[in-house]
Amino acid sequence: MTDATGTNGTTDTTLWSYQHIAAHIRVQRATVRSYRRHGLMPPPDVVQDSTPYWYADTVRTWAAMRPRNRRGG
């Protein structure tokens, strides 16, 4: 997808696919798809040809608030 920044230059509106999100939160792409299917993600910012995309800032905000893996370690 293309990169685009907000008019003030501070908002990152780069569009991220499932693959980008998975890499960012260090999970499999199928896990991200499952999160969406179960309503654990924000709605996509853009849907293009039936494919959902999220702005990078949307994902970063969501990722900062999402519960972490609860397995011991």
Side-chain angles (χ1 to χ4, degrees):
M1 287 310 306
T2 59
D3 290 347
T5 56
T7 56
N8 63 7
T10 60
T11 302
D12 187 352
T13 56
T14 303
L15 292 173
W16 283 10
S17 66
Y18 286 122
Q19 187 68 34
H20 294 100
I21 296 167
H24 181 72
I25 62 173
R26 296 184 176 122
V27 299
Q28 296 295 314
R29 185 173 63 191
T31 301
V32 179
R33 293 174 69 95
S34 178
Y35 288 167
R36 180 173 182 226
R37 201 170 33 252
H38 290 96
L40 301 174
M41 291 183 64
D45 293 301
V46 175
V47 177
Q48 185 175 21
D49 297 325
S50 301
T51 303
Y53 296 96
W54 291 260
Y55 294 132
D57 279 352
T58 300
V59 175
R60 288 184 187 111
T61 299
W62 165 75
M65 296 185 314
R66 79 188 249 283
R68 300 292 182 229
N69 188 336
R70 295 189 180 149
R71 282 188 275 176

